[in-house]
Amino acid sequence: MSRREELTRLTGNGNGNGNGNGTCGKDDCPNVYRTGSGAFVVQGAVSHAFTAPDGEALVEIPEEILREAVRALGW
């Protein structure tokens, strides 16, 4: 797994953080990051929809956050 300083933050950079309320701090909002290898790291609330395999986790992020990440990538 990449260390935080090796990640490019795609969301919550002042381009509209997707939550509309301006209450998110620097690191406590759902976010999408891109690794140096082109993979993605997603930060969000823990989901209990089902039990993920060992070494994996489920997170929930708002649709707006994914849309912001897509815009940041120019897709």
Side-chain angles (χ1 to χ4, degrees):
M1 177 66 80
S2 295
R3 292 186 311 243
R4 179 178 224 125
E5 59 270 7
E6 297 171 339
L7 302 175
T8 300
R9 187 172 177 168
L10 301 175
T11 57
N13 291 316
N15 299 326
N17 63 8
N19 72 356
N21 65 16
T23 61
C24 290
K26 181 178 177 189
D27 299 321
D28 64 351
C29 297
N31 280 296
V32 177
Y33 302 86
R34 191 163 197 189
T35 68
S37 67
F40 296 93
V41 175
V42 178
Q43 173 185 346
V46 174
S47 172
H48 299 285
F50 63 90
T51 302
D54 286 345
E56 296 183 5
L58 303 175
V59 298
E60 295 182 15
I61 61 170
E63 179 180 334
E64 291 178 39
I65 298 298
L66 290 178
R67 290 181 184 276
E68 184 180 348
V70 168
R71 283 192 301 272
L73 291 168
W75 294 354

